[in-house]
Amino acid sequence: DSLVAAVLAHSDRLDKEHLGACVGRLSRRGEVCTMINKKYSEFLPSVQSAEDLVAQVEGLANNIDLLKAGIENEVQRDLNVAVAEFTELKQQLERDTLVLSVLKKLQEFDTTIKECNTALLERQYVTAAQQLEKARSSLRSLESRRGFELKILKALGTELMVQTQNMIYHLGEEWHKLIVWKLPPSKGSSSLEAVVLSELHLHTVPPLDEDTAAPAVTAVLQALAVLGELHSKLKDFGQLLLQYILKPLISHPSLEPVTEEQPDVFILRFRSQELALDESSPMEVFDKIKLIFEVLHKHLLNVPLEQPGEGRKEGRVTLAELLGELIWEELSDCLIHNCLVNSIPTNSSKLEQYKEVIESTEGFEKALKQMQFLKEDTTALLKYACNVDSHFANKKCQDVIMAARNLMTSEIHNTVKITPDSSVALPELPGPGSGDHLQMHRPSSLLHSGTVNLGSESRLSQFTLCLPTCHISSSVQQLVELAYHTLLEATASTDLCCVQLFDCVRNIFQLFYEVVPTYHRENLQKLPQLAAIHHNNCMYIAHHLLTLGHQFRYHSTSELSNGAATFVDLVPGFRRLGMECFLAQMRVQKGEILERLSSARNFSNMEDEENYCAANKAIKQVLHQLKRLGMVWQDVLPVNVYCKAMGALLNTALAEIVTRIAALEDISAEDADRLHSLCRVMVEEGPQVFTPLLEEDKNKKYQEEVPVYVQKWMMFKELMIILQANLQEIVDQWADGKGPLAEEFSAAEVKSLIRALFQNTERRAAALGKIK
């Protein structure tokens, strides 16, 4: 209404349309107000209900606050007290439970100790041992409780130790009653006499009138097993068994085991056969060892024990298996090294016979496995026996190397003479397509086959490519024969053996290359004869190495026949080895020659008798040295080597004399005469040192050929001519540089000699002018 009035009051300022719109809006607002009043009347009861509910909630909240205050002030205090009481009671219960369990363990320990003592007195060893182990378990349980230590545990441990040692002592006494060793006074001896006096008594056979569920030996062994002492007892027993029974049977072929079975004891002793072989065959040794294990298995080792362990069925194991684990490795090594090794054939033709040894070894292992002494997968002996080819090759190689080394370290001066037509007992091989049957012939056609047809009328001598006549060490000849026979053995062997034996032969020569120069070094340096023999030895070996591989090429394995079987690569080394040794000796001899000539006082002032005597003595010493060497090398070195060596040494002496005389600045007529006489001694006696052969008449040929081997020989003779010639004769010998003198001396050297021999005159000057 107020709104209408306001509108009317201002109607004078509104137009009619505007007034109509306002009236419309006013009417609509009236409808809205009516609706609001209706909704308000409906909402008012709900508001009232909500206010009532709020009042109730506030009252409930007040009550909760009051209840909470009561709980915090009274109930919580009582609850804390209850929890503390519960915790204390729980801890008390745990302490009481622990004390109770400890008391039970102590009671159990005491009970088991008493039962152990009772069982021990009744000789129920297994029960006693088991009770002792229970007591030990109880004590371990008590000791494992931390924070609950009792002083009594130390006393209990001491008691348990005393009881254990007492138990072990009683079991040890029973063990020694069951197994009695009667050994010689010197227990460490394993000689034949000591072994014959040894006996083993087994009191493991129960009396016939005693009906027991288990023999006494089973109870004793089981008790030892429970206590963990069986291993040490068996180990000691196994060592005695090896030392006084098993190993002597292997080492002494004359020993024979003797068994004696009585009602309550079994006795094992030995007897020695007077007539016995040096070595027993593996079959005999296996039979003896098998007999020992059969009687031991019957009277001792066939005892089942409760012995839990990895790989064992149901924890049960026999005493034989335990003993086998302890001694088999040592026993098998002894059988291999002292029995099977000796039975390995040394010749390939005997390999077929070795099948008997393999079969015997297989039967031996099978018997031991049946007695449970060996496990099923144990085949050490059989593997060794079956690998006979490799062992044969190893043994053969070892024997060959040892034989070769003995030859290399033997004396060099024991020699044999080698000639081009000599033949050595070496094997002759058949043609490449003639099969595998090889025979031994003497002499070898490979080494000596007469003349060779070249396809025309020309023929080579039968001595072509042969070694010249010389002396070599007999040991070297045997060494080469050993190499040939070893290669022949290789051609009849398997592929593996063939390769191994071929390598062995190469090793022989490589060993020679290393051993001989070192082992004989001092003698090779001091003794010229040995140096010459060593030179010949090396050349002899190199000569055979050239064709050694080719001779066996078509009779070896495919691998070697393809060209691998060769020794040619070793030839330069052996030639160098021989030459170096001989050249070293030559240097020594040259040094001695030069040292003797150094005492000749440079061949100056020969008018002085003392100087002349010194020079003459030096010449005589040099000739004596050369003659001595000629005798030492006579018939030892090949003729051509001998002549070259003696020629080189004589040439050294002549060259030294020429050099010293040519260096003189003044030579009087008397000096020249005396120098000429000294040189004449060298010319006359020098050729006499050439005596390469024992027959004197055959040496003249080489003595006449001295200028061929002595390079300074003609120079030395020309020097002698100069010492006795006048100026014109010297000029004629020079012949404008075309004469014999010019071929040996230079112009400067001739002029120097002329100045030393002749005084300064016009004739000398004219002669010097013609020397150019």
Side-chain angles (χ1 to χ4, degrees):
D1 293 339
S2 59
L3 181 60
V4 173
V7 171
L8 294 175
H10 296 80
S11 59
D12 55 341
R13 290 176 294 175
L14 297 173
D15 56 11
K16 291 181 179 180
E17 291 180 1
H18 188 265
L19 181 62
C22 290
V23 172
R25 285 196 297 270
L26 288 175
S27 61
R28 284 195 298 271
R29 287 186 179 183
E31 293 174 358
V32 171
C33 289
T34 304
M35 185 180 296
I36 291 173
N37 289 331
K38 182 180 180 181
K39 292 293 183 182
Y40 177 77
S41 60
E42 293 176 356
F43 177 71
L44 187 60
S46 298
V47 172
Q48 189 63 40
S49 298
E51 290 176 353
D52 294 340
L53 185 58
V54 168
Q56 293 177 4
V57 169
E58 290 178 353
L60 184 58
N62 292 332
N63 292 334
I64 289 173
D65 293 337
L66 292 175
L67 182 59
K68 181 179 179 182
I71 289 173
E72 291 177 352
N73 296 330
E74 297 179 2
V75 177
Q76 185 67 38
R77 183 177 63 251
D78 296 339
L79 184 60
N80 291 337
V81 173
V83 170
E85 291 178 354
F86 174 77
T87 303
E88 183 178 355
L89 291 174
K90 181 180 178 181
Q91 292 175 351
Q92 184 64 35
L93 178 61
E94 291 176 351
R95 287 195 297 270
D96 293 343
T97 303
L98 180 60
V99 171
L100 181 61
S101 64
V102 170
L103 292 176
K104 286 182 178 180
K105 290 294 181 181
L106 291 174
Q107 181 185 11
E108 182 180 339
F109 180 87
D110 182 66
T111 302
T112 53
I113 291 294
K114 289 179 180 179
E115 291 178 356
C116 174
N117 290 332
T118 303
L120 189 59
L121 293 175
E122 296 175 357
R123 300 182 65 184
Q124 297 178 358
Y125 297 117
V126 177
T127 303
Q130 291 173 347
Q131 294 300 324
L132 204 59
E133 286 302 304
K134 288 182 180 180
R136 182 173 286 105
S137 177
S138 299
L139 184 60
R140 288 199 198 100
S141 178
L142 290 173
E143 291 175 344
S144 65
R145 298 180 183 276
R146 298 181 179 179
F148 198 88
E149 299 178 357
L150 296 176
K151 294 181 180 179
I152 194 174
L153 294 183
K154 186 176 182 180
L156 294 180
T158 304
E159 177 65 19
L160 181 62
M161 183 182 298
V162 171
Q163 292 295 334
T164 302
Q165 295 302 319
N166 184 39
M167 181 74 176
I168 292 174
Y169 171 77
H170 282 83
L171 291 175
E173 291 295 318
E174 293 291 342
W175 173 268
H176 292 305
K177 290 178 183 179
L178 294 172
I179 302 173
V180 180
W181 287 94
K182 293 188 177 181
L183 303 176
S186 56
K187 292 186 177 181
S189 174
S190 59
S191 62
L192 181 61
E193 295 77 8
V195 173
V196 171
L197 298 176
S198 304
E199 292 184 6
L200 173 61
H201 292 215
L202 297 178
H203 296 269
T204 56
V205 181
L208 298 177
D209 57 348
E210 183 178 346
D211 186 14
T212 56
V217 62
T218 304
V220 173
L221 295 175
Q222 186 64 62
L224 287 171
V226 172
L227 293 178
E229 294 293 321
L230 183 60
H231 184 275
S232 62
K233 295 292 183 185
L234 274 183
K235 185 176 182 180
D236 295 339
F237 175 77
Q239 290 303 314
L240 292 174
L241 189 66
L242 285 170
Q243 182 177 357
Y244 291 101
I245 295 181
L246 300 178
K247 287 185 177 181
L249 284 176
I250 301 172
S251 304
H252 303 294
S254 61
L255 276 182
E256 190 74 24
V258 179
T259 60
E260 180 182 351
E261 189 170 353
Q262 297 180 4
D264 59 344
V265 64
F266 174 81
I267 302 174
L268 177 62
R269 60 171 64 95
F270 297 99
R271 67 183 174 202
S272 179
Q273 299 176 347
E274 296 182 358
L275 299 177
L277 300 176
D278 294 336
E279 293 181 359
S280 296
S281 66
M283 289 72 76
E284 294 174 352
V285 173
F286 291 157
D287 289 340
K288 294 176 183 179
I289 301 295
K290 188 163 59 174
L291 174 62
I292 298 299
F293 280 110
E294 285 175 351
V295 297
L296 288 177
H297 184 267
K298 178 180 178 181
H299 299 284
L300 176 64
L301 301 181
N302 192 22
V303 178
L305 302 172
E306 296 291 337
Q307 186 82 0
E310 183 179 355
R312 297 192 177 113
K313 296 180 180 180
E314 299 179 358
R316 295 183 67 84
V317 62
T318 61
L319 192 64
E321 186 176 346
L322 294 178
L323 182 63
E325 292 177 354
L326 292 173
I327 70 171
W328 174 244
E329 182 177 356
E330 187 173 352
L331 177 60
S332 61
D333 288 343
C334 184
L335 284 170
I336 289 173
H337 294 102
N338 296 322
C339 181
L340 289 179
V341 166
N342 299 328
S343 67
I344 298 295
T346 56
N347 194 300
S348 58
S349 61
K350 298 180 180 179
L351 285 176
E352 285 294 326
Q353 303 175 7
Y354 195 76
K355 290 182 179 179
E356 185 180 359
V357 176
I358 297 176
E359 294 173 357
S360 178
T361 305
E362 185 178 6
F364 177 68
E365 284 193 349
K366 184 177 180 181
L368 294 187
K369 290 176 182 178
Q370 290 176 350
M371 290 183 281
Q372 296 181 314
F373 182 81
L374 293 184
K375 296 180 179 179
E376 289 298 326
D377 58 348
T378 304
T379 57
L381 287 180
L382 186 58
K383 284 182 179 178
Y384 183 89
C386 290
N387 199 17
V388 62
D389 287 338
S390 176
H391 301 316
F392 162 73
N394 291 336
K395 184 176 182 180
K396 184 70 177 180
C397 291
Q398 183 178 2
D399 293 343
V400 168
I401 291 296
M402 289 301 298
R405 191 181 186 281
N406 291 335
L407 291 173
M408 295 172 197
T409 55
S410 61
E411 295 296 338
I412 298 179
H413 59 74
N414 297 325
T415 62
V416 293
K417 190 171 185 178
I418 299 296
T419 61
D421 58 349
S422 64
S423 59
V424 187
L426 296 177
E428 179 184 9
L429 297 175
S434 59
D436 298 330
H437 300 286
L438 304 179
Q439 297 179 354
M440 301 293 292
H441 296 279
R442 180 186 180 109
S444 173
S445 62
L446 290 172
L447 302 178
H448 179 122
S449 58
T451 58
V452 180
N453 192 349
L454 295 181
S456 64
E457 295 181 357
S458 300
R459 291 177 179 268
L460 291 176
S461 168
Q462 65 179 17
F463 302 137
T464 302
L465 302 179
C466 290
L467 276 176
T469 301
C470 64
H471 273 76
I472 65 169
S473 300
S474 59
S475 59
V476 169
Q477 185 185 41
Q478 296 172 22
L479 185 70
V480 173
E481 291 181 5
L482 178 65
Y484 271 90
H485 290 298
T486 304
L487 288 176
L488 181 64
E489 187 81 28
T491 60
S493 304
T494 61
D495 290 355
L496 177 63
C497 292
C498 181
V499 174
Q500 198 165 349
L501 290 176
F502 172 80
D503 291 339
C504 177
V505 175
R506 285 188 63 91
N507 291 337
I508 289 176
F509 295 114
Q510 290 171 350
L511 189 66
F512 182 95
Y513 192 90
E514 299 294 336
V515 169
V516 173
T518 303
Y519 185 83
H520 300 283
R521 176 180 299 170
E522 186 175 353
N523 289 333
L524 293 177
Q525 292 174 348
K526 292 181 178 179
L527 304 177
Q529 186 183 35
L530 294 190
I533 295 173
H534 178 65
H535 166 270
N536 296 344
N537 291 341
C538 294
M539 296 303 170
Y540 178 78
I541 293 175
H543 175 75
H544 282 279
L545 290 179
L546 282 171
T547 59
L548 183 59
H550 298 283
Q551 296 179 58
F552 293 89
R553 177 175 179 180
Y554 298 104
H555 306 276
S556 58
T557 62
S558 58
E559 180 181 351
L560 298 180
S561 63
N562 289 334
T566 181
F567 297 87
V568 176
D569 58 307
L570 301 178
V571 171
F574 272 90
R575 289 177 175 172
R576 184 171 57 253
L577 181 66
M579 291 176 58
E580 287 177 352
C581 176
F582 191 69
L583 289 177
Q585 185 60 230
M586 288 288 291
R587 287 192 291 270
V588 172
Q589 298 301 326
K590 287 182 178 180
E592 292 181 2
I593 289 174
L594 295 177
E595 183 179 357
R596 287 183 168 91
L597 290 177
S598 65
S599 64
R601 302 185 180 181
N602 293 327
F603 295 95
S604 63
N605 195 15
M606 289 290 99
E607 296 177 354
D608 187 346
E609 192 67 26
E610 186 176 349
N611 288 353
Y612 176 75
C613 290
N616 186 51
K617 182 180 179 181
I619 294 292
K620 294 293 184 181
Q621 286 179 343
V622 169
L623 289 173
H624 177 73
Q625 176 186 345
L626 293 176
K627 289 179 181 179
R628 179 175 56 83
L629 273 178
M631 296 302 296
V632 168
W633 287 343
Q634 185 182 62
D635 202 41
V636 173
L637 286 171
V639 173
N640 62 329
V641 178
Y642 177 95
C643 293
K644 288 180 181 179
M646 295 303 300
L649 295 176
L650 181 58
N651 187 73
T652 298
L654 298 182
E656 182 68 11
I657 294 173
V658 169
T659 300
R660 290 180 181 271
I661 293 177
L664 295 175
E665 296 180 356
D666 184 21
I667 302 175
S668 66
E670 186 176 355
D671 288 345
D673 291 339
R674 290 198 166 186
L675 288 173
H676 184 270
S677 65
L678 292 177
C679 292
R680 186 173 62 251
V681 172
M682 290 295 297
V683 170
E684 292 176 353
E685 299 185 17
Q688 297 177 10
V689 303
F690 287 82
T691 56
L693 302 178
L694 294 175
E695 300 83 354
E696 290 295 334
D697 55 338
K698 294 183 178 180
N699 290 327
K700 293 181 180 180
K701 171 187 175 182
Y702 305 104
Q703 294 172 359
E704 294 172 355
E705 296 176 351
V706 168
V708 177
Y709 304 107
V710 183
Q711 183 181 0
K712 299 292 184 180
W713 184 259
M714 297 308 298
M715 174 184 281
F716 192 78
K717 297 191 73 173
E718 289 295 326
L719 176 64
M720 291 177 62
I721 293 174
I722 292 175
L723 290 174
Q724 292 293 301
N726 54 38
L727 286 172
Q728 186 58 44
E729 291 174 342
I730 295 175
V731 172
D732 293 342
Q733 284 291 106
W734 181 259
D736 295 330
K738 299 178 182 180
L741 182 61
E743 293 181 1
E744 305 299 335
F745 287 94
S746 65
E749 291 173 335
V750 174
K751 289 181 179 180
S752 176
L753 285 170
I754 291 175
R755 292 188 183 98
L757 288 167
F758 300 97
Q759 294 180 356
N760 189 7
T761 62
E762 294 180 359
R763 292 182 60 195
R764 191 184 81 170
L768 289 174
K770 296 179 181 180
I771 306 298
K772 56 184 178 181

